[in-house]
Amino acid sequence: MRRLLVLATSACLVTAGAGAAGAEPDFPPTFPPNQNQLPQLPTEPQIYDLLPIPSPDQDPWYNDPENIADYQPGEIVRSREVQTRLLGLPVPVYTKQLLFRSEDVHGNPIVTASTVIVPGIPWQGSARPVVSFQEAIDSTDSACNPSHTLQTGTMKESTLVMYWLAQGFAINVPDFDGKFNTFNTYAEGKMVLDSLRAMKNDTSLGLTDSGIALYGYSGGGSGSIRAAELRASYAPDVRLLGTSIGGTPGNLVAEADYATRNQPGLTGTSNFTMWLGFASLSREYPDVFKPEEFLTPEGQGLLADMQHRCYATIALQGVYRPISDYFQPGKSLNTSPEVLQVLSDNSLGKHIPDTPILWWHGVWDELIPPSVVIPTVQSYWDQGADVRFYTVPVPEHITNAVTGWLPAVAWTSAVLRGLSPGPKFMAAFQPLPAGFPGS
């Protein structure tokens, strides 16, 4: 709770100059005493509007071409050179952005962007290897996408990228949730793979024959592992050498059930993930995830407020505020077979990756309990996947992003240099008893 209070205070201080957000007409003025009492916070896009770099929804570079259906997956629509920044300061690397054609979850053509970063360090003996870094975007506004935040210097995971850049690897950072920010669907995997096709198609980058490794944690792991699952059937032309992920839900039905309920202690912070999930999936599946059908007027107001935010203020608004408290009488996710089908269809394990996997998860994760992850990994293992899975004996979701990141850097660096990915193993230790919150 101390961490949440610090985050809330920081968010209020940072955004004080941005002005108060205009409340939705039916936004609840007060919350039940057992829920968090934070008022409606300003949104991150309000801050970004003050910056000299236009946000994607104001930048015509992101516009669809008139003949979008004529483009092939991964074909470049347009490109541009931009400046990468870290905490607002320019970084001396070459950066090129590619707008390319991909597909949404229904197979319709869409365009989204990727940012390719090439360091000045010479690379000899082979094509320069590439790390495709899938950030945990987990947001509902295009201003939160890395093609924008890398330019403004506000990409929250940018410091992690530096350790691969320092080795001379190129970095691909896709907007794998698309410019409409929908996630936890297999469209994420298509967008990751098509971003790599676009990177290969731009011969000026010198990365056409490069070996590639995928990395992502939490929401970034979601896009990475879906790309690994789809590679053989959707993009066999992408030379994938390995995928390293952590903190990613496997079974979305089980995750939704967990995050929807009132949870004790720190596990109650998981409540925000279901608000985020509902906001996202209502864009891809508007006929299934209907706010007016499921939610009370107060719930609809909360959801509307979360439609244009980055992860930080969505989290602050949604923690300790279970969406189940805002269901209309007799309504729940479990009463809708269509909802359960969408969650099931987009759960992991529909395809088995044909390339090496390194996957880790915390033995206690307040946002994504191991119980919604390990059965999926076990299914991978039982079907012969080239997987290395281990649980980290350290609690808390964000902490485990750091504990697993160091082995991930070492492992991806090794496979990109042509070394063996090492033996397969399944080290799913679960010291907490069944029924323990977040176990």
Side-chain angles (χ1 to χ4, degrees), residues 388-407:
R388 295 140 198 83
F389 179 80
Y390 66 100
T391 47
V392 182
V394 175
E396 207 276 318
H397 185 75
I398 298 175
T399 303
N400 273 294
V402 179
T403 59
W405 173 76
L406 286 171

Side-chain angles (χ1 to χ4, degrees), residues 225 229 245-251 347-353 357-362 368-391 424-430:
I225 194 63
E229 282 198 17
I245 69 161
T248 297
N251 187 323
S347 293
L348 296 178
K350 298 297 181 293
H351 316 269
I352 301 301
I357 304 292
L358 175 66
W359 191 337
W360 79 93
H361 203 85
I368 304 167
S371 59
V372 308
V373 177
I374 292 176
T376 300
V377 184
Q378 187 65 53
S379 175
Y380 274 26
W381 179 265
D382 293 343
Q383 296 182 65
D386 190 359
V387 65
R388 295 140 198 83
F389 179 80
Y390 66 100
T391 47
K424 300 191 297 182
F425 57 84
M426 184 71 182
F429 306 116
Q430 296 176 271

